Amino acid sequence: MLGTLFGRKAEFDLFSAGADDCHDFSRLHGERFYKGWGDGEFHSLLTQSSVFGFSARDTNASDRDLGGFVIAREAGGEAEILTIAVSDKYARAGLGWRLMLAAIREVRARGGETLFLEVDEGNDAAIGLYRKHGFKKVGERKGYYSDGRGKTSTALVMRLDLR
Ligand SMILES: CC(C)(COP(=O)(O)OP(=O)(O)OC[C@H]1O[C@@H](n2cnc3c(N)ncnc32)[C@H](O)[C@@H]1OP(=O)(O)O)[C@@H](O)C(=O)NCCC(=O)NCCS
């Protein structure tokens, strides 16, 4: 069980992401990030062999509502989470955890030994999620993010060792 929508319990299954997901990913990304990525950006990522992702969809809903997704890249043993987003409707119901777990398993399956990501130092939800998966802070990039109104913030660089 994950989340309740209009009195119905939403149940999500995870699927490998493909080009068909680009529009839905772009829409959810735009809802969750200041700078959204367009369908074309998702398409150019998801058609690269080093890039993979997973969607979480409500398979009981006729529209197979997108609850969240993750996209990552693995090359030469090193991997990175490119983005992850969960719909606000289903926040704190474990979807982010499941999506990260799927990405970590796929990185391992592809022979990845280290997994990196960047996260805004003020993003408590994401930092909590990454710490729960064992990621540790290994660096920071000051002024890395901008909110578009002249305010910048620091990116934490986090790493998960898979060896
Ligand atoms: C970050 C995000 C993906 C988490 O997704 P989620 O499905 O709500 O997370 P989960 O329910 O799986 O939570 C897993 C853990 O993350 C942490 N967490 C999640 N939401 C949190 C919050 N609001 N505050 C603090 N910790 C939080 C907790 O450790 C939680 O475990 P717990 O519920 O047992 O305490 C989601 O908030 C999101 O899409 N945010 C906007 C996009 C974004 O910031 N992406 C990351 C960019 S680096």
Side-chain angles (χ1 to χ4, degrees):
M1 189 282 285
L2 279 169
T4 304
L5 188 63
F6 307 127
R8 183 181 67 79
K9 282 176 181 165
E11 291 190 24
F12 289 89
D13 289 308
L14 263 52
F15 301 90
S16 275
D20 289 353
D21 291 303
C22 294
H23 184 63
D24 288 352
F25 284 9
S26 163
R27 190 180 41 76
L28 179 54
H29 196 270
E31 284 171 22
R32 302 303 332 246
F33 291 93
Y34 158 69
K35 239 189 196 169
W37 297 354
D39 296 19
E41 282 163 287
F42 280 103
H43 190 269
S44 77
L45 282 172
L46 287 169
T47 47
Q48 293 172 37
S49 58
S50 59
V51 175
F52 59 89
F54 296 94
S55 64
R57 290 188 179 276
D58 181 350
T59 43
N60 292 326
S62 54
D63 60 356
R64 300 177 77 235
D65 193 21
L66 179 68
F69 68 92
V70 62
I71 298 187
R73 172 187 282 125
E74 190 282 327
E78 202 166 278
E80 61 178 323
I81 299 293
L82 299 176
T83 189
I84 179 169
V86 169
S87 167
D88 229 1
K89 284 187 292 193
Y90 307 115
R92 207 69 186 259
L95 273 187
W97 166 263
R98 286 175 65 192
L99 287 162
M100 281 298 294
L101 195 59
I104 291 165
R105 284 183 175 151
E106 181 63 21
V107 167
R108 277 188 199 278
R110 288 175 179 236
E113 297 185 339
T114 41
L115 178 54
F116 288 91
L117 57 83
E118 280 147 6
V119 56
D120 191 312
E121 65 176 354
N123 191 342
D124 292 338
I127 292 170
L129 170 64
Y130 302 146
R131 286 213 173 109
K132 202 171 163 188
H133 272 289
F135 281 84
K136 303 263 188 294
K137 178 187 158 188
V138 291
E140 55 181 48
R141 299 190 174 132
K142 293 206 184 299
Y144 188 78
Y145 297 110
S146 161
D147 70 353
R149 295 185 300 260
K151 189 168 169 272
T152 61
S153 56
T154 297
L156 307 185
V157 181
M158 301 185 83
R159 185 180 69 203
L160 180 66
D161 202 340
L162 299 171
R163 279 166 295 196

